[in-house]
Amino acid sequence: MKTLSLAPLSLLLCLMLLTACQPAPTQTRIQGSTMGTYYAVTLSDPFPGGQVALQGEVDALLARLNQEISTYDPDSLISRFNRNAGKAPMPIPASMARIVRQGMDAGRLTRGKLDVTVGPLVNLWGFGPDKRPVKRPTAEQITQARERVGIDKLSLTPQGDHFLLGKSIPNLYLDLSTLGEGAASDEIARLLERKGVHNYLVEVAGAVRSKGHNDKGNPWRVAIVEPSDRQGAIEDVVTPNGMALSTAGSYRNYYELDGRRYSHIIDPATGEPVTHKLVSASVITPTALEADALDTALMVMGPEQAMAFATEHKLAVYLIEKTDLGFAARHTPEFAPYLVRSQP
Ligand code: FAD
């Protein structure tokens, strides 16, 4: 009698059982370039129409945002406002007004450390759409550029379903670059919520929105990277869980001229790039727009003033300073619950 070996059959059965027990992978991820940087969206809920529909809707949203606030696009609304030598207010949509309003509010809160009219100085130091300077700007050039700076020269007035954006000097230059990534992150999160997606991680460069859990049922984790050229070196890990995290730094966007390092963070009070030892500031707030505004302001303030400001306003803030011994990180008590190392 011929004996039938059960081994291959049982192996097949095991494999079938394993396949049946394992949930189908539900994570969807898209990524791409925008605003001179990158974005990535990861979902563990289904998106209506799947990955292709998600990519199409996110790309359309980002293209519209660029069309509104990119100073790198001469045809954008902001570029037309900046070119407009007259003082006649210009109609702008509510989506753009929200970003301008955040810039103005954060400007007042931080007593001008964040200033969305700082563009002439940003450009003078070679960090805008203009080219890098081949030599340091003169004191006279800095003074002239500073005369064009100040949010008191900017106005925003609601009118029906849109807003009027005005200026009190003809050559005012609005630069919302510092808020663009936060605005994009929030808008993508809003799109996902509208589509019934409640478990997601949205990253637009340093501006992150996360909610719910990943496909393994764990809260999303985000790294605060070491402010150095060491690829992948991690300083800490956080779970923003339902909140927004934004990080600003002076360690990636800089250049060296005559042996000195110039950062893209400009102090509107001096008209010059900052030179203190604070190299990274992370903020957690309900919206990425707010966090994106505050992290840059903290970078302008420097380590001591930034920590005093964060303490006064009870903000969840994480700062990294450069010291003679390496990097030193510290945070406010409000930031502690988000740190993975302090979680049970
Ligand atoms: P953040 O810390 O968030 O902001 C720093 C930036 O804010 C500086 O680079 C400067 O522009 C400005 N700033 C400096 N000091 C102050 C201050 N005191 N107050 C307020 N603002 C200040 N870059 C390209 O190279 N090519 C592109 O095509 C391009 N397109 C863009 C389109 C859009 C819609 C936006 C918003 C930005 C674009 N950028 C582009 C700019 C680029 O991505 C910027 O480097 C980025 O927006 C700055 O963000 P950050 O996270 O590097 O720094």
Side-chain angles (χ1 to χ4, degrees), residues 73-86 167 170-173:
D73 175 357
D75 296 325
S76 67
L77 278 180
I78 199 168
S79 293
R80 277 190 267 152
F81 175 76
N82 287 340
R83 265 200 314 274
N84 181 9
K167 46 176 140 179
N171 59 354
L172 190 78
Y173 183 97

Side-chain angles (χ1 to χ4, degrees), residues 260-263 265 272-278 299-300:
R260 253 192 82 181
R261 186 183 263 224
Y262 292 97
S263 142
I265 308 286
E272 298 190 18
V274 297
T275 51
H276 52 66
K277 301 275 184 200
L278 183 62
M299 280 304 303
V300 177

Side-chain angles (χ1 to χ4, degrees), residues 35-36 66 70 72 113 115 175 177-178 181 248 264 266 296 300:
M35 304 180 179
N66 272 272
S70 176
Y72 292 76
K113 294 297 180 194
D115 193 323
D175 177 3
S177 284
T178 190
E181 293 152 7
H264 67 138
I266 309 288
T296 307
V300 177

Side-chain angles (χ1 to χ4, degrees), residues 116-139:
V116 288
T117 67
V118 81
L121 288 162
V122 173
N123 294 342
L124 183 65
W125 286 95
F127 290 106
D130 299 354
K131 287 200 167 50
R132 294 258 137 104
V134 283
K135 57 182 184 157
R136 196 184 190 284
T138 62

Side-chain angles (χ1 to χ4, degrees), residues 44 90 105 143 176 182 205 241 257 275 311 317 336:
S44 53
M90 189 175 125
D105 289 349
T143 305
L176 298 170
N241 218 354
L257 189 67
T275 51
T311 307
V317 164

Side-chain angles (χ1 to χ4, degrees), residues 234-294:
I234 290 172
E235 194 72 32
D236 242 312
V237 179
V238 296
T239 49
N241 218 354
M243 300 286 275
L245 166 78
S246 182
T247 300
S250 57
Y251 53 99
R252 293 251 161 81
N253 199 350
Y254 67 90
Y255 61 88
E256 285 181 11
L257 189 67
D258 303 330
R260 253 192 82 181
R261 186 183 263 224
Y262 292 97
S263 142
H264 67 138
I265 308 286
I266 309 288
D267 185 347
T270 61
E272 298 190 18
V274 297
T275 51
H276 52 66
K277 301 275 184 200
L278 183 62
V279 282
S280 166
S282 299
V283 185
I284 294 181
T285 54
T287 69
L289 192 53
E290 192 184 353
D292 210 2
L294 292 173

